[in-house]
Amino acid sequence: MTPQKASRSAVWRSATALLVAGGFLAGCVARPEMTGLPPSPNSRLYAYLIAHGMARGAVMTRQIGPDGLTRLVTLDKAAQQATLNALKLQSSSANRQADQALSNLLADLPQKPPPMTSHPSEQTQKNRLP
């Protein structure tokens, strides 16, 4: 091997090694840092079930009367459909729509707890289904 071929081969090896090392380093830098656990794909379903239970409780304790019932049912149905859609599609836009529908449902619920009666047993009787 002539000295010119040897130096050319050494230059190519060095350039290749530099390129490979640079690629590895670029891959390390380009990867986003992950902190914590990723959210569960079912988290919106859990949130809907909790909000639905809150709505049901508000109806059972008569915090929402017949005049507000139609609006509550409409918001609950919209939240249910948006949540199911987000579960199926798993897309950011579907997730945003489900979040908005759940926010609308929660915003419609009364914020104050029902007034307590003098006897807790009377309150228990009111909460029972007919």
Side-chain angles (χ1 to χ4, degrees), residues 53-68:
M54 291 169 65
R56 183 174 182 264
V59 170
M60 289 179 64
T61 58
R62 295 184 176 89
Q63 291 178 339
I64 297 177
D67 53 331

Side-chain angles (χ1 to χ4, degrees), residues 59-83:
V59 170
M60 289 179 64
T61 58
R62 295 184 176 89
Q63 291 178 339
I64 297 177
D67 53 331
L69 195 58
T70 304
R71 178 172 165 75
L72 182 68
V73 168
T74 303
L75 290 171
D76 185 71
K77 186 68 173 170
Q80 181 186 41
Q81 289 300 320
T83 301

